[in-house]
Amino acid sequence: MHREPKLERFNESVLAKYQVYNSIFLTLPFDDIKKTGALLPLFQEICEAGFAENKNPSEIIETFFNKYQEDPSEEEKNNLLFRFIQYIERQVVLFDAIEDAAFPVVNNMDGHGTLRNVKEEAEAANKTSELREYLKRFKVRPTLTAHPTQFYPGAVLGIITDLDRAVQKNDLTTIKNLLAQLGKTPFFKKEKPSPFDEAVSLIWYFENVFYQSVSQIYNYLQQNIFDGEDPGNQVINLGFWPGGDRDGNPFVTTEITLKVAKRLRSTILLNYYRDLRKLKRRLTFSEVDEIISEIEPKLYASAISKTGKIKITLEELKSKLHQIRVIVLEKHQSLFLDEVDDLLNKINLFGYHFGTLDIRQDSSKHIEVVEELEQYKSDLFGKSYFDLTEEEQIDALTKVQDNIDPENLEEGMAKSTLSSIYAMQTIQETNGENGANRYIISNCGSVQGVLQPFAFMRLCGWEKPSVDIIPLFETVPDLQKAHEVMEVLYTNPVYKKHLKRRGNRQTIMLGFSDGTKDGGYLMANWSIYKAKEMLTEVSRKYDIKVVFFDGRGGPPARGGGKTHQFYASLGQKIENEEIQLTVQGQTISSNFGTQDSCRYNLEQLLSSGVFNEIFSEGKNILSDEDRETMNNLAEISYNTYKDFKQHPKFIPYLEKMSTLKYYAKTNIGSRPSKRNKSAKLNLSDLRAIPFVGSWSQLKQNVPGFFGVGTAMEHYEKEGDFDKVRHLYNNSVFFKTLLENSMMSLTKSFFALTAYMKEDEEFGEFWQLIFEEYERTKRMLLKVTGYKELLENQPAGKASIQARERIVLPLLTIQQHALRKVQELQEKGKASEELLEVYEKMVTRSLYGNINASRNSA
């Protein structure tokens, strides 16, 4: 179908179109910014030439004003810089829309990793029956999270969608009108969104994208792999965090949780109602029309009910549709039967819950709950919980029972936590058990950490909770002992009974975010890999089916990048019958923003599990020698990163030279940027998103590469580099790690901050980072044999380069503003008004950079 190389398709369908539509955009006569469109390309040229000549951002901006403006005042300069920011934000939107529109052209929708490809490979290898058996038990669960890495308001998301369609049709008139609309639509949010606002934004993707894409995949499997029979497995489930994720977010309340669950239910019911209306236009046959007329008003009333009262149960809805199916099959020659089956499949996939609303809280908060509960009822655990030995605490947590009413508790963590558990019960009653049946414990590192929320549930009168208790092991030490924690739980009689009620399945979450922040890139990924092996071994020992839930973000530093390659590389020592991962911010819009991209990326995840299970044939098992090499690389990298993190300038550099403190001012997420309110910056309290994002804004991307080069160079110096090369050639896992690290390097641009090497305080520290960047780049090219980074992904690299070029003027403005802030802070109160202007400039410049990167945090 696509004969041209992928890079050529990208150049023709994305770059060429962007240049045409951007030229139209730049000439549109917006109010009070008439000259901006003409000046921006000139400013871009000055930026590119200036960095090539080793000028700093402020010098570049002065060069521009000297060349193209007649002695402008400080205010006039700043006004134009703000207008440039507005223009560049919109250029990013335009590029997004064009790239989304071109997705099915640039990507081969029937190529490697798609379901059609999987089917054909299984047939060629005579493994169709194995494929069917695996798909009867294998599942993929993307869980959408509202972490603050995406700022587009709803109005802008709508424009992107409309632009996408107009670009596909080459409708120049509509495109021009939409670009004009884009120029007048505000991007900046004056107030932080509430968790409910975030939920509504992400439910848009469920309603408009996943609803169709997931059912299309399921229908394809049913018709083409199972020959029309029901697979007996949903294959794809959806997860949802906004409104349930309490970790570090005091704004998530029980009221919000219930409100989000209601919104999920009403949205899926409205989607069913719309499909039923379409069916009604086709199924105009006798008997059938009567049943539809009976269902329709009940479904609509249930969808719009303010009280949440359901007029038709899920079972009744399925039963009525099955009646329709039988009548159509037996009396009407199966006319429009596919449409009936499609709706039935959607109902089986999404129920009345649409996506499972996960509840999450940090383990440290559960300690507070225990303290507050003991104040409320001193003999709750027999004697003071904190005076008990570890074994006695475990025993007390598994035996405690009560029926505590949260309304009798004082305001605090105990009241909010128990209320959230009662909310889970309510949601299960209205949305079904899948509405809210997972409780995740962040920063979990002990048996008690898992058993505390289990005890809280039974303190709410929930003797046999229909909930999966999910520990999240994040730091390197917690990952290393995770299997020991789980073995104690598997042998605990009370928890063992709970697992039996849950089908002897244990979901365990493993977090890349804090792992990378804690241990660096190689160690975090390798620790998770080894933890999965050990957790698989101990779970199989006790006949427990372990399911791994990966806390991936967007960038490689947080577990992102080419995720499907990771899952295809795990081997037989890691349980892989279900792929669960978090998807956040720009990664949602870039990977799942359209039906084409959503279907393609979900199919890639599905096929990665299939290839690992059915086609790997032992290829992904690491030899003892390769394992030793990987261990050594991770250890050297870890020590290098640990020394770097302990450098006396590490925290001051982030505070003074990066955009770290400005993340909290952007109003793009409801959650605070730190876990505590202390004025002093503590790395352990700092959230991974502003941490990774700040490095990204500096175009240094430290968390995605630091220590990697030093580790490989060690082998080079010892004359053992062939061992690294052997590992690379024989491990898809290691190869994927390095390729994702290349993405971090490709998105780095040290010329932007090269002026810092002359800084009296931070010059040496900047040089340290730059040298590791150069070292890592050299070693990656050596081990891969490439002449340039991402040589094997030319279209992906071209996309990165195009986006980086768009935001280069924005980055220049941001660094200039940061330099001005530092200058003005030294002058004191006399410069407060101007200081506010430049701080606002830094904050405003964050948005375009965040969205252009697509996976920056």
Side-chain angles (χ1 to χ4, degrees), residues 43 114 122 200 260 290 328 341 374 390 451 527 626 670 718:
F43 180 52
T114 63
V200 170
V260 170
E290 293 173 13
V328 169
D341 284 344
E374 284 202 322
E390 188 173 317
L451 291 177
S527 295
D626 283 341
S670 68
E718 295 291 315

Side-chain angles (χ1 to χ4, degrees), residues 761-811:
E761 184 178 1
F762 296 109
E764 184 185 325
F765 188 74
W766 183 94
Q767 192 66 34
L768 180 70
I769 299 168
F770 179 63
E771 286 171 4
E772 183 63 16
Y773 162 82
E774 289 284 298
R775 185 181 295 114
T776 304
K777 181 180 177 181
R778 183 177 71 82
M779 299 313 299
L780 285 175
L781 292 177
K782 181 172 181 175
V783 75
T784 59
Y786 296 162
K787 292 179 181 177
E788 58 182 33
L789 297 173
L790 296 183
E791 187 179 296
N792 63 329
Q793 300 173 43
K797 184 173 183 176
S799 176
I800 291 170
Q801 288 174 333
R803 289 173 175 278
E804 295 298 321
R805 186 167 188 269
I806 290 169
V807 296
L808 183 61
L810 196 58
L811 292 162

Side-chain angles (χ1 to χ4, degrees), residues 692-711:
V692 174
S694 296
W695 290 111
S696 174
Q697 295 281 326
L698 281 168
K699 306 312 290 179
Q700 293 176 0
N701 291 321
V702 159
F705 72 80
F706 203 92
V708 176
T710 297

Side-chain angles (χ1 to χ4, degrees), residues 39-55:
L39 290 170
L40 183 53
L42 301 173
F43 180 52
Q44 182 155 23
E45 288 178 11
I46 293 286
C47 290
E48 290 171 355
F51 287 119
E53 295 165 9
N54 298 316
K55 290 182 178 178

Side-chain angles (χ1 to χ4, degrees), residues 3 178 223 234 251 273 333 361 379 406 455 514 581 589 649 672 696 738 763 766:
R3 293 184 179 177
L178 288 169
Q223 296 303 318
Q234 292 168 316
F251 307 112
Y273 172 74
Q333 294 77 49
Q361 183 56 281
D379 61 346
D514 281 282
L581 72 165
S589 56
K649 296 301 177 187
S696 174
L738 295 193
W766 183 94

